[in-house]
């Protein structure tokens, strides 16, 4: 049963939303959370030892065969997983491992490569990773690399609209890729703004903010954004409004511009976008609340197919001040997790089918649970994170690390020989922060990027 829900009903509390499961509250008090955190730390240490032994300085380890693969460059390695892991190692107190990563960066990292990278992936993973490692250690060498990389990414923003091209050659600055999307246009401000703050050079902050504003200015009359646009002409290429990819982190970084820099424009843009999303996209299917894809100009429904990446959205909505709706959405995803064990890449909330039965070792539900927990400390979020962790350990653990799943419908699940860089930066950190109460993190005042990089809130002893 798919019924549209008006915004007043959702935000006004007049609706019966799926309640927090009572067993989660009861079960939570029986869990030794610090022992669980120690287990997460031990898994991180084990995975790091494997990466060190089999793929040191390479971008991504192949966790089944013990080989490696490059990303975001096609053939050249930039130590992606190592850089993504650094602040996670640091919050876990794996200081020797952090120090060896630091030594590798000092001795080997160079972005002077004649190769093309995704501006978005490089910014959130490598620039963000260097900045969070700098936040952890204060090492100026890490900031120097971040600045060098920021300079190499900037040419992508020199477009007629200010919305960046998708790809840039790290050495030549040549850019390409005008057919783009909200996430690849507007997921830069926390990293670029932090770089500006640390270097005193305002160009990075300005470029990132200008891109966000340029896209927002092109919203439809009902306040929605489609998910495809030409960055040179500003002409929309698609009609679908979605909170999943490739739009997801655009909304996240509007809120984050406000959270991290107190930018009122970002807050205003977030509020306008969110009001439209809640009004036109929130739907009820059985006991659960979802955000369906709709036409960006009419608000008419297009699809009940949800991408797993959209599971982050409950955490964002909670931060943005709609906790009941946010909790209902995260519970909808948690129910899918309870049913399948781990989340499929694609789930249809009307048919209940896992229409994309792979699992790319995704962090989004753990991300949402962590953000909810930071806000209200309700035990159910820790329980969702615990299930996420224990099931990942059960299904995704392979000989040399954690692996993606080729088909999660069959038992035993079929693994595939990939471990994405974000695994090192995201869920392992979310689990640890959720379970550990570590003094290395300021639980009251902090900021984690879309890639889980901590840009505010690390506490150096
Ligand atoms: C991460 O790289 C980031 O969270 C990004 O915003 C989208 N999702 C992937 C991990 O699934």
């Amino acid at each position: 049963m798919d019924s549209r829900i008006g915004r007043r009903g959702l935000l006004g509390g007049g609706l019966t939303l799926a309640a927090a499961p009572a067993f989660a509250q009861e079960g939570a008090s029986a869990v030794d959370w610090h022992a669980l955190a120690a287990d997460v730390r031990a898994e991180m240490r084990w995975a790091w030892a494997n990466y060190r032994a089999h793929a040191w300085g390479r971008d991504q380890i192949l966790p089944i065969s013990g080989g490696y693969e490059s990303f975001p460059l096609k053939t050249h390695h930039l130590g992606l997983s190592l850089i993504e892991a650094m602040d996670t190692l640091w919050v876990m107190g794996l200081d020797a491992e952090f120090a060896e990563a630091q030594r590798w960066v000092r001795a080997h990292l160079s972005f002077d490569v004649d190769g093309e990278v995704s501006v978005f992936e490089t910014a959130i993973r490598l620039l963000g990773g260097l900045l969070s490692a700098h936040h952890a250690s204060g090492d100026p060498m890490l900031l120097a690399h971040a600045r060098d990389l920021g300079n190499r990414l900037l040419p992508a923003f020199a477009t007629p609209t200010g919305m960046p091209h998708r790809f840039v050659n790290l050495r030549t600055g040549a850019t390409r890729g005008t057919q783009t999307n909200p996430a690849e246009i507007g997921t830069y401000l926390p990293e670029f703004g932090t770089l500006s703050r640390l270097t005193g050079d305002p160009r990075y902050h300005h470029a990132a903010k200008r891109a966000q504003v340029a896209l927002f200015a092109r919203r439809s009359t009902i306040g929605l954004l489609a998910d495809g646009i030409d960055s040179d002409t500003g002409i929309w290429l698609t009609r679908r409004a979605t909170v999943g990819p490739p739009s997801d982190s655009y909304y996240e970084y509007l809120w984050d511009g406000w959270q991290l820099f107190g930018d009122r424009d970002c807050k205003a843009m977030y509020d306008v976008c969110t009001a439209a999303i809640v009004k036109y996209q929130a739907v009820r299917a059985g006991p659960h609340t979802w955000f369906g894809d709709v036409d960006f100009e009419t608000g008419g429904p297009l699809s009940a197919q949800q991408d797993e990446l959209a599971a982050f959205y409950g955490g964002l909505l909670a931060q943005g001040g709609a906790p009941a709706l946010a909790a209902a959405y995260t519970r909808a995803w948690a129910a899918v997790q309870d049913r399948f064990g781990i989340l499929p890449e694609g789930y249809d909330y009307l048919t209940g089918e896992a229409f994309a039965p792979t699992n790319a070792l995704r962090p989004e539900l753990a991300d949402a649970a962590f953000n909810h927990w930071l806000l209200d400390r309700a035990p159910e979020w820790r329980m969702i994170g615990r299930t996420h962790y224990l099931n990942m350990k059960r299904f995704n653990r392979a000989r040399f690390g954690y692996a993606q799943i080729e088909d999660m419908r069959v038992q035993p699940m079929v693994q595939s020989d990939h471990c994405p860089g974000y695994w090192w930066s995201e869920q392992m950190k979310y689990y640890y922060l959720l379970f550990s109460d570590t003094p290395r993190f300021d639980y009251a005042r902090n900021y984690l990027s879309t890639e889980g990089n901590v840009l505010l809130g690390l506490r150096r002893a």
Side-chain angles (χ1 to χ4, degrees):
M1 181 67 179
D2 179 358
S3 58
R4 307 296 300 282
I5 302 172
R7 180 170 178 248
R8 281 185 60 189
L10 284 163
L11 298 180
L15 196 76
T16 310
L17 296 167
F23 67 84
Q25 320 290 337
E26 287 159 19
S29 58
V31 175
D32 182 342
W33 293 104
H34 290 178
L36 192 60
D39 192 65
V40 174
R41 185 178 185 272
E43 286 303 289
M44 182 75 179
R45 188 175 228 169
W46 167 79
W48 180 261
N50 275 303
Y51 171 75
R52 199 180 186 295
H54 301 282
W56 188 235
R58 308 292 178 170
D59 287 331
Q60 296 179 154
I61 189 170
L62 302 181
I64 297 174
S65 62
Y68 48 78
E69 61 185 344
S70 68
F71 179 84
L73 286 161
K74 283 201 173 64
T75 53
H76 185 98
H77 292 261
L78 296 167
L80 175 77
S81 294
L82 181 152
I83 292 171
E84 295 231 43
M86 287 181 78
D87 67 334
T88 309
L89 295 170
W90 193 86
V91 293
M92 292 180 178
L94 293 171
D95 295 342
E97 286 83 353
F98 182 91
E100 65 187 0
Q102 212 174 351
R103 284 196 294 277
W104 183 91
V105 172
R106 188 183 306 279
H108 300 291
L109 184 62
S110 170
F111 293 116
D112 186 23
V113 184
D114 186 8
E116 192 180 63
V117 293
S118 154
V119 179
F120 163 74
E121 299 289 4
T122 306
I124 64 170
R125 295 164 184 251
L126 289 162
L127 179 57
L130 288 165
L131 289 171
S132 59
H134 173 262
H135 179 36
S137 63
D139 184 344
M141 175 274 297
L142 296 166
L143 179 59
H145 276 300
R147 185 176 202 162
D148 175 48
L149 182 56
N151 290 339
R152 293 173 191 275
L153 297 179
L154 269 185
F157 292 78
T159 66
T161 63
M163 297 188 286
H165 290 169
R166 295 182 63 211
F167 303 101
V168 66
N169 182 300
L170 285 174
R171 180 174 291 163
T172 67
T175 68
R176 162 180 89 78
T178 65
Q179 298 196 357
T180 186
N181 55 69
E184 292 187 68
I185 289 167
T187 311
Y188 304 98
L189 188 57
E191 291 85 358
F192 280 40
T194 298
L195 189 56
S196 285
R197 183 175 58 74
L198 292 169
T199 61
D201 182 342
R203 291 177 305 148
Y204 317 106
H205 190 120
H206 286 163
K209 171 89 182 279
R210 181 171 172 240
Q212 282 181 318
V213 171
L215 184 66
F216 178 75
R218 290 170 170 82
R219 70 193 180 282
S220 73
T221 54
I222 61 172
L224 292 173
L225 304 170
D227 64 355
I229 194 165
D230 187 294
S231 59
D232 281 357
T233 65
I235 293 172
W236 288 109
L237 303 172
T238 63
R239 301 195 62 83
R240 183 179 75 138
T242 181
V243 297
S247 297
D248 43 7
S249 50
Y250 177 78
Y251 304 114
E252 185 178 359
Y253 272 22
L254 292 180
W255 177 260
D256 291 3
W258 163 246
Q259 183 189 343
L260 190 56
F261 301 120
D263 187 320
R264 292 179 187 282
D265 298 338
C266 287
K267 171 77 162 56
M269 292 189 287
Y270 173 83
D271 287 343
V272 168
C273 289
T274 305
I277 289 167
V278 169
K279 180 173 180 181
Y280 293 103
Q281 294 186 243
V283 295
R284 194 68 172 274
H288 294 300
T289 296
W290 294 95
F291 287 89
D293 294 346
V294 301
D295 184 283
F296 83 120
E297 286 182 319
T298 67
L302 290 180
S303 169
Q305 294 196 334
Q306 301 272 302
D307 194 298
E308 187 279 345
L309 277 78
F312 89 100
Y313 192 65
L316 175 61
L317 263 187
Q319 291 176 284
L325 177 58
Y329 187 54
T330 300
R331 287 177 192 138
W333 279 109
V336 179
Q337 171 171 271
D338 287 344
R339 178 172 158 211
F340 293 105
I342 55 175
L343 294 182
E345 285 293 290
Y347 176 75
D348 188 309
Y349 61 73
L350 287 184
T351 64
E353 182 202 3
F355 69 87
T358 53
N359 170 278
L361 209 47
R362 296 284 183 188
E364 282 76 17
L365 184 58
D367 181 1
F370 177 57
N371 277 316
H372 282 290
W373 188 79
L374 279 179
L375 290 165
D376 65 14
R377 300 293 196 277
E380 77 170 297
W381 311 124
R382 267 186 158 173
M383 293 300 274
I384 290 171
R386 176 175 176 267
T387 302
H388 199 272
Y389 172 61
L390 293 178
N391 288 353
M392 179 188 77
K393 214 173 148 183
R394 178 172 167 206
F395 297 116
N396 298 81
R397 200 177 200 273
R399 186 168 172 207
F400 301 108
Y402 278 79
Q404 299 185 350
I405 300 288
E406 194 62 46
D407 192 335
M408 37 79 69
R409 292 170 306 186
V410 297
Q411 294 296 337
M413 291 185 189
V414 181
Q415 294 182 336
S416 71
D417 201 8
H418 302 283
C419 177
Y422 53 75
W423 181 84
W424 302 89
S425 182
E426 293 207 56
Q427 60 261 58
M428 294 304 278
K429 186 185 294 131
Y430 304 141
Y431 303 140
Y432 190 77
L433 292 176
L434 191 55
F435 308 148
S436 69
D437 303 307
T438 174
R440 289 201 168 188
F441 184 70
D442 183 343
Y443 284 86
R445 190 164 171 272
N446 54 69
Y447 171 77
L448 277 73
S449 75
T450 191
E451 191 73 359
N453 287 307
V454 188
L455 300 182
L456 176 74
L458 296 180
R459 281 176 162 165
R460 277 185 247 159

